[in-house]
Amino acid sequence: MELRKMRGMEHLYVYSQSQQISQQTGLVGYLRGDYGESGKQFWTTWFDNRPDWNTPEFKHDLQRTIDRLRYETKQLTDRERLSSLCLNDLESCITEDRHWFGFRADSEQYAYLLKCNPYKGDYNFYVYCYKKDWLDQHMVRAEKGIRFIDPEYNEHFRIPDGGKIRITRADGSQDEYACRYIDDSHMELMDGRNSVYHICQFAELMEHNGNTVEPVCPTLGEQKSMPTHHQGMEQAMG
């Protein structure tokens, strides 16, 4: 078992996911841990996502994985070892403030995505546990990006999973929102309510409100501004 730094968009999956993404990626649950005041303790708490997937076989696999990282490779033994793991390879950093670092370890059936913080005073690691094939297949599909179209299904631009859009209202006010890929026809707007929209529904609602949508992040393919609309987003956008 190799603990490697994250690749591609894997860092998107070390946070709480919506029900739609959790189901598609096979999220069993996650383990949260810290090393206590001394830095040598090992306190953990488990959070279920799908109790029916938290089988004896999975529990054994997770325990074997954690034990290997603690006692064999010693990368999770204590806070000092975790600090060495993270700070000796800053390319593993997944946040701009350089407080969180991302790694992945795979067993035969499961993918373990680790979000690690080597500093005292916070939880030191989260281990998000996925059905490996489900997660990998979803990420491959998500590489196609999120399409933004007009109500006639003409594609105006496409952003990567986790990318941002800017919505400009008729009164000139603006807001930016991150978006997540659900499938080729659905996306999730991270508006505090994790709202899921069919891409055509989103375009029609934006057009109805006279809003303009444009990408904030680099796009996949040709970049254009797009007028589209949204009635059901009035609460989120005023």
Side-chain angles (χ1 to χ4, degrees):
M1 180 180 292
E2 174 195 6
L3 184 67
R4 62 162 176 80
K5 59 188 175 185
M6 288 184 175
R7 302 169 184 160
M9 307 305 288
E10 289 174 339
H11 64 278
L12 294 176
Y13 300 90
V14 288
Y15 301 93
S16 296
Q17 306 292 328
S18 67
Q19 182 179 0
Q20 290 81 3
I21 296 176
S22 296
Q23 291 293 106
Q24 292 191 32
T25 54
L27 177 63
V28 182
Y30 68 92
L31 187 73
R32 184 183 70 191
D34 69 83
Y35 297 107
E37 184 68 22
S38 68
K40 301 290 185 181
Q41 299 164 296
F42 198 84
W43 305 112
T44 61
T45 306
W46 171 257
F47 298 87
D48 259 326
N49 179 63
R50 280 287 300 266
D52 55 319
W53 291 345
N54 189 7
T55 62
E57 291 78 13
F58 165 74
K59 291 176 181 176
H60 174 73
D61 198 273
L62 174 61
Q63 187 65 59
R64 182 178 60 181
T65 299
I66 297 300
D67 286 348
R68 182 180 178 106
L69 296 175
R70 288 183 69 189
Y71 303 121
E72 294 184 31
T73 68
K74 300 186 182 300
Q75 292 157 309
L76 292 186
T77 299
D78 52 32
R79 190 180 294 121
E80 181 179 359
R81 294 295 184 97
L82 183 66
S83 296
S84 296
L85 172 68
C86 297
L87 301 180
N88 287 342
D89 186 0
L90 293 180
E91 289 186 0
S92 63
C93 184
I94 59 174
T95 59
E96 292 183 359
D97 61 9
R98 296 199 170 187
H99 271 67
W100 292 99
F101 300 78
F103 303 91
R104 173 171 171 166
D106 288 346
S107 67
E108 184 176 350
Q109 297 186 42
Y110 297 98
Y112 299 102
L113 273 58
L114 283 72
K115 179 174 67 172
C116 302
N117 181 339
Y119 306 108
K120 184 177 179 180
D122 202 345
Y123 292 109
N124 294 122
F125 60 86
Y126 293 78
V127 184
Y128 283 80
C129 309
Y130 292 90
K131 294 186 177 185
K132 182 172 65 175
D133 291 346
W134 292 31
L135 174 65
D136 288 342
Q137 290 168 11
H138 178 82
M139 287 195 296
V140 168
R141 293 191 296 269
E143 288 177 357
K144 293 180 287 187
I146 303 167
R147 294 183 295 153
F148 287 84
I149 63 175
D150 60 29
E152 286 70 46
Y153 264 87
N154 298 306
E155 182 174 322
H156 289 264
F157 63 87
R158 188 179 296 222
I159 65 172
D161 187 18
K164 286 187 175 183
I165 58 171
R166 178 183 299 113
I167 297 177
T168 303
R169 306 181 188 87
D171 64 4
S173 60
Q174 295 180 330
D175 276 305
E176 295 181 3
Y177 300 92
C179 301
R180 295 298 309 276
Y181 175 93
I182 301 295
D183 58 37
D184 289 352
S185 298
H186 295 84
M187 67 96 173
E188 183 176 316
L189 190 76
M190 309 300 288
D191 59 355
R193 299 178 300 168
N194 292 352
S195 305
V196 175
Y197 295 97
H198 189 283
I199 57 174
C200 189
Q201 174 199 17
F202 184 78
E204 290 172 348
L205 292 172
M206 287 284 116
E207 185 175 87
H208 177 81
N209 278 7
N211 296 339
T212 298
V213 180
E214 59 186 343
V216 176
C217 62
T219 59
L220 301 179
E222 185 178 4
Q223 181 172 328
K224 299 179 181 178
S225 291
M226 180 190 86
T228 124
H229 311 301
H230 184 112
Q231 183 176 16
M233 304 228 352
E234 290 177 350
Q235 290 183 347
M237 302 177 194

